[in-house]
mmCIF file of all heavy atoms in Angstrom:
data_model
loop_
_atom_site.group_PDB
_atom_site.id
_atom_site.type_symbol
_atom_site.label_atom_id
_atom_site.label_comp_id
_atom_site.label_asym_id
_atom_site.label_seq_id
_atom_site.Cartn_x
_atom_site.Cartn_y
_atom_site.Cartn_z
ATOM 1 N N ALA A 248 -37.187 18.691 -188.309
ATOM 2 C CA ALA A 248 -37.257 18.858 -189.749
ATOM 3 C C ALA A 248 -36.820 17.557 -190.389
ATOM 4 O O ALA A 248 -35.757 17.075 -190.107
ATOM 5 C CB ALA A 248 -36.374 20.001 -190.215
ATOM 6 N N GLY A 249 -37.699 17.006 -191.228
ATOM 7 C CA GLY A 249 -37.360 15.770 -191.911
ATOM 8 C C GLY A 249 -36.390 15.989 -193.031
ATOM 9 O O GLY A 249 -36.087 17.132 -193.405
ATOM 10 N N PRO A 250 -35.883 14.922 -193.572
ATOM 11 C CA PRO A 250 -34.944 15.020 -194.700
ATOM 12 C C PRO A 250 -35.642 15.635 -195.916
ATOM 13 O O PRO A 250 -36.812 15.443 -196.125
ATOM 14 C CB PRO A 250 -34.530 13.597 -194.935
ATOM 15 C CG PRO A 250 -35.621 12.770 -194.439
ATOM 16 C CD PRO A 250 -36.220 13.514 -193.271
ATOM 17 N N THR A 251 -34.884 16.294 -196.724
ATOM 18 C CA THR A 251 -35.421 16.879 -197.989
ATOM 19 C C THR A 251 -35.455 15.829 -199.072
ATOM 20 O O THR A 251 -34.479 15.146 -199.345
ATOM 21 C CB THR A 251 -34.494 18.045 -198.435
ATOM 22 O OG1 THR A 251 -34.489 19.039 -197.425
ATOM 23 C CG2 THR A 251 -35.006 18.681 -199.741
ATOM 24 N N ASP A 252 -36.613 15.675 -199.665
ATOM 25 C CA ASP A 252 -36.765 14.709 -200.797
ATOM 26 C C ASP A 252 -36.423 15.453 -202.061
ATOM 27 O O ASP A 252 -37.066 16.448 -202.430
ATOM 28 C CB ASP A 252 -38.208 14.206 -200.848
ATOM 29 C CG ASP A 252 -38.540 13.387 -199.598
ATOM 30 O OD1 ASP A 252 -37.643 12.681 -199.129
ATOM 31 O OD2 ASP A 252 -39.673 13.485 -199.120
ATOM 32 N N VAL A 253 -35.412 14.942 -202.734
ATOM 33 C CA VAL A 253 -35.004 15.593 -204.016
ATOM 34 C C VAL A 253 -35.037 14.584 -205.131
ATOM 35 O O VAL A 253 -34.917 13.374 -204.915
ATOM 36 C CB VAL A 253 -33.608 16.194 -203.869
ATOM 37 C CG1 VAL A 253 -33.576 17.242 -202.828
ATOM 38 C CG2 VAL A 253 -32.553 15.111 -203.544
ATOM 39 N N LEU A 254 -35.253 15.044 -206.331
ATOM 40 C CA LEU A 254 -35.234 14.217 -207.511
ATOM 41 C C LEU A 254 -33.906 14.426 -208.232
ATOM 42 O O LEU A 254 -33.144 15.341 -207.963
ATOM 43 C CB LEU A 254 -36.409 14.614 -208.438
ATOM 44 C CG LEU A 254 -37.806 14.402 -207.828
ATOM 45 C CD1 LEU A 254 -38.827 14.929 -208.798
ATOM 46 C CD2 LEU A 254 -38.033 12.954 -207.508
ATOM 47 N N PRO A 255 -33.584 13.506 -209.178
ATOM 48 C CA PRO A 255 -32.331 13.736 -209.957
ATOM 49 C C PRO A 255 -32.293 15.126 -210.557
ATOM 50 O O PRO A 255 -33.302 15.676 -210.909
ATOM 51 C CB PRO A 255 -32.439 12.644 -211.012
ATOM 52 C CG PRO A 255 -33.273 11.578 -210.384
ATOM 53 C CD PRO A 255 -34.305 12.320 -209.554
ATOM 54 N N ALA A 256 -31.142 15.678 -210.625
ATOM 55 C CA ALA A 256 -30.932 17.065 -211.103
ATOM 56 C C ALA A 256 -31.482 17.206 -212.538
ATOM 57 O O ALA A 256 -31.266 16.314 -213.391
ATOM 58 C CB ALA A 256 -29.511 17.449 -211.051
ATOM 59 N N GLU A 257 -32.206 18.282 -212.729
ATOM 60 C CA GLU A 257 -32.769 18.560 -214.078
ATOM 61 C C GLU A 257 -32.477 19.993 -214.427
ATOM 62 O O GLU A 257 -32.540 20.847 -213.569
ATOM 63 C CB GLU A 257 -34.274 18.312 -214.141
ATOM 64 C CG GLU A 257 -34.694 16.857 -213.838
ATOM 65 C CD GLU A 257 -36.207 16.723 -213.883
ATOM 66 O OE1 GLU A 257 -36.882 17.735 -214.200
ATOM 67 O OE2 GLU A 257 -36.719 15.625 -213.600
ATOM 68 N N ASP A 258 -32.206 20.280 -215.712
ATOM 69 C CA ASP A 258 -32.018 21.653 -216.156
ATOM 70 C C ASP A 258 -33.374 22.309 -216.259
ATOM 71 O O ASP A 258 -34.317 21.715 -216.784
ATOM 72 C CB ASP A 258 -31.365 21.703 -217.527
ATOM 73 C CG ASP A 258 -29.895 21.232 -217.447
ATOM 74 O OD1 ASP A 258 -29.287 21.417 -216.340
ATOM 75 O OD2 ASP A 258 -29.360 20.693 -218.446
ATOM 76 N N PRO A 259 -33.512 23.560 -215.762
ATOM 77 C CA PRO A 259 -34.795 24.253 -215.911
ATOM 78 C C PRO A 259 -35.107 24.604 -217.355
ATOM 79 O O PRO A 259 -34.220 24.650 -218.204
ATOM 80 C CB PRO A 259 -34.545 25.532 -215.089
ATOM 81 C CG PRO A 259 -33.087 25.728 -215.071
ATOM 82 C CD PRO A 259 -32.484 24.342 -215.124
ATOM 83 N N SER A 260 -36.360 24.727 -217.623
ATOM 84 C CA SER A 260 -36.790 25.048 -218.976
ATOM 85 C C SER A 260 -36.223 26.388 -219.426
ATOM 86 O O SER A 260 -36.059 27.319 -218.642
ATOM 87 C CB SER A 260 -38.303 25.130 -219.043
ATOM 88 O OG SER A 260 -38.701 25.584 -220.291
#
Side-chain angles (χ1 to χ4, degrees):
T251 300
D252 295 322
V253 298
L254 297 176
E257 297 180 5
D258 291 331
S260 171

